[in-house]
Amino acid sequence: MLRDEIKTYLPHREPMLLVDEMELDADGIAHGKYHVRGDEFFLQGHFPGNPVVPGVILCEIMGQACTLLIGDIVKGKTPLYAGLNNIKFKNSVRPGDTIEVTSHISAQKGLVFFIAAEAKVGGKLVCKGDLSFILIPNEQLEDKLSK
């Protein structure tokens, strides 16, 4: 699926929508891609003359790219990070690179999902780790905002 359809699953919008394509294979593994154009807000000062995608943004890309694992359950809810564990950064990501993410659910407890993910560029590992998310119904968030 491409960005327009991705928006039916993810509440993120530009400039924080950081996945261009997603698909779920028959084995329950999610695949996502993001092409780093070079004009992204997070590259403007990281680092002048030597732009590198920040590690926290790589984690966000991995998190967004695994949304299909949760499927329709995520609709009407906002996925919030509950934890990042065993995160390892192996190589830099630069403008022109296409990040390819693979992920699978390692455990689930109610609306909390534990996901193993890795990101590669050109087949070379750039980041991997264990992500956990809790899904919060949007009406609960709206109630908190209105108070």
Side-chain angles (χ1 to χ4, degrees):
M1 79 176 55
L2 300 176
R3 288 177 84 87
D4 285 341
E5 192 174 356
I6 290 168
K7 289 178 182 180
T8 66
Y9 287 88
L10 279 173
H12 302 74
R13 296 298 180 262
E14 291 76 7
M16 279 305 297
L17 181 60
L18 300 173
V19 62
D20 296 322
E21 301 174 33
M22 291 192 309
E23 67 180 57
L24 185 63
D25 71 20
D27 295 327
I29 297 176
H31 302 272
K33 290 183 181 180
Y34 180 73
H35 181 73
V36 183
R37 298 176 316 275
D39 62 351
E40 289 89 351
F41 70 93
F42 51 81
L43 291 174
Q44 292 176 15
H46 197 267
F47 299 98
N50 184 26
V52 176
V53 175
V56 68
I57 296 294
L58 289 174
C59 291
E60 181 65 21
I61 291 167
M62 289 193 312
Q64 289 184 26
C66 71
T67 307
L68 276 184
L69 292 170
I70 300 168
D72 286 338
I73 297 169
V74 77
K75 290 183 178 178
K77 298 174 185 70
T78 298
L80 300 175
Y81 269 119
L84 295 168
N85 295 304
N86 304 314
I87 301 295
K88 305 288 183 202
F89 301 102
K90 300 295 187 176
N91 289 288
S92 295
V93 179
R94 303 181 181 287
D97 288 345
T98 298
I99 303 164
E100 297 183 31
V101 176
T102 57
S103 57
H104 67 277
I105 295 174
S106 53
Q108 179 185 353
K109 293 179 183 173
L111 290 179
V112 179
F113 293 83
F114 301 88
I115 296 169
E118 66 177 25
K120 294 181 177 181
V121 170
K124 194 175 190 180
L125 185 66
V126 295
C127 184
K128 68 177 185 173
D130 301 313
L131 319 173
S132 55
F133 300 93
I134 186 165
L135 300 180
I136 306 296
N138 289 343
E139 58 270 6
Q140 286 182 12
L141 294 173
E142 291 166 4
D143 289 344
K144 287 184 181 187
L145 289 173
S146 65
K147 291 181 181 180

